[in-house]
Amino acid sequence: MAAELSIDWTRCEARGVCLELLPELLQPDDWGYPMSRGTEPRVAVRRALLADAQTAVRECPRLALRLTPAS
């Protein structure tokens, strides 16, 4: 794991940009908000998807995504 992606749902408006950019990691909930495809609230980002995750963070219109180094 290269990094962790976290979502601030208080900022998110479910516009779907991150869902389009990271379909391997995120899926929509019943209301269209992004959620991890795994069981953890933070999304583990593999090196192969790091550039896509960085793009998603940069393109999020509500600045609801945060990428941090893996712990």
Side-chain angles (χ1 to χ4, degrees), residues 14-55:
R15 295 186 183 193
V17 174
C18 60
L19 296 171
E20 291 179 19
L21 293 170
L22 291 171
E24 303 90 346
L25 301 178
L26 300 173
Q27 64 186 3
D29 68 6
D30 293 340
W31 299 276
Y33 288 88
M35 58 184 277
S36 170
R37 288 195 173 273
T39 58
E40 298 294 322
R42 303 188 100 178
V43 181
V45 180
R46 301 182 312 270
R47 289 195 195 287
L49 295 173
L50 187 56
D52 291 338
Q54 290 168 333
T55 300

Side-chain angles (χ1 to χ4, degrees), residues 4-18 26 33-34 41-43 53 56-67:
E4 291 180 337
L5 182 70
S6 57
I7 304 162
D8 181 348
W9 286 281
T10 63
R11 289 180 171 262
C12 184
E13 290 184 346
R15 295 186 183 193
V17 174
C18 60
L26 300 173
Y33 288 88
R42 303 188 100 178
V43 181
V57 169
R58 188 173 52 252
E59 297 296 322
C60 178
R62 299 293 300 155
L63 305 174
L65 300 177
R66 183 174 179 196
L67 197 60

